Amino acid sequence: MMNNFLTDQQMASLVEAIQTAEDHSTGEIRIHIDSNTEGNNAEIAFEVFRRLCKDQTVEKNAVLFHVNFEQKYLTIIGDEGIHAKVNQTFWDQMHDQITTQFSKGNFHDGLKNAVLETGLELKKYFPIKGVNPNELSNEITFS
């Protein structure tokens, strides 16, 4: 997969950040990097979300960061469980923070901080009770 925005090391660091974030709650976090979309990014993001996340967690608490660096496009989608609890303002502010970082070329830091912050937010609403299985892969996916 050709990726001019993140080095292999930075991608490994993001996977680690996902692991760290998920250690704090039962929530699941995914990053998908899209380099193909010419069409409607939001629609594509929802497709990816349906495929990778939707209803695949017991508490419906998966979050997808869908990124298209070429088009400077970012969508953050949370499953129903999250949507019921986490305020939309939280996601709007996070979206602004990430896109501000992206505009400065800080692709890795923007995403990493957002992932870690999401983990802390999920911890408030989806604390770990006993075992915390990893319900979704932490690997970054691409299209």
Side-chain angles (χ1 to χ4, degrees):
M1 167 66 215
M2 192 55 208
N3 178 349
N4 304 321
F5 296 90
L6 297 167
T7 65
D8 288 350
Q9 205 175 352
Q10 286 176 325
M11 291 207 287
S13 159
L14 287 174
V15 171
E16 234 167 82
I18 290 173
Q19 258 159 336
T20 303
E22 290 182 354
D23 281 345
H24 296 301
S25 89
T26 59
E28 295 287 330
I29 299 170
R30 307 247 17 199
I31 296 175
H32 183 86
I33 297 174
D34 174 12
S35 309
N36 288 327
T37 299
E38 294 298 317
N40 182 327
N41 274 297
E43 271 172 33
I44 303 289
F46 274 102
E47 263 317 300
V48 171
F49 179 80
R50 273 196 286 275
R51 198 175 73 236
L52 295 179
C53 306
K54 185 141 180 58
D55 298 336
Q56 292 183 34
T57 55
V58 174
E59 298 185 74
K60 295 193 191 315
N61 57 358
V63 177
L64 172 70
F65 290 88
H66 186 274
V67 190
N68 185 320
F69 291 121
E70 283 89 353
Q71 299 188 16
K72 298 183 172 49
Y73 188 87
L74 163 77
T75 314
I76 308 169
I77 303 174
D79 209 343
E80 289 160 36
I82 290 176
H83 210 63
K85 299 187 179 196
V86 181
N87 195 308
Q88 184 59 41
T89 316
F90 172 81
W91 301 113
D92 293 343
Q93 286 169 343
M94 175 172 282
H95 187 279
D96 290 347
Q97 284 165 5
I98 302 173
T99 47
T100 301
Q101 289 297 317
F102 281 7
S103 67
K104 297 175 182 162
N106 300 333
F107 302 108
H108 168 262
D109 292 353
L111 275 174
K112 183 176 179 177
N113 295 338
V115 164
L116 294 173
E117 207 180 313
T118 299
L120 294 175
E121 184 72 4
L122 292 178
K123 182 183 181 178
K124 292 181 201 168
Y125 304 105
F126 301 100
I128 297 166
K129 309 173 189 83
V131 258
N132 183 21
N134 189 25
E135 296 173 286
L136 299 177
S137 165
N138 297 337
E139 295 304 313
I140 296 173
T141 50
F142 298 93
S143 57

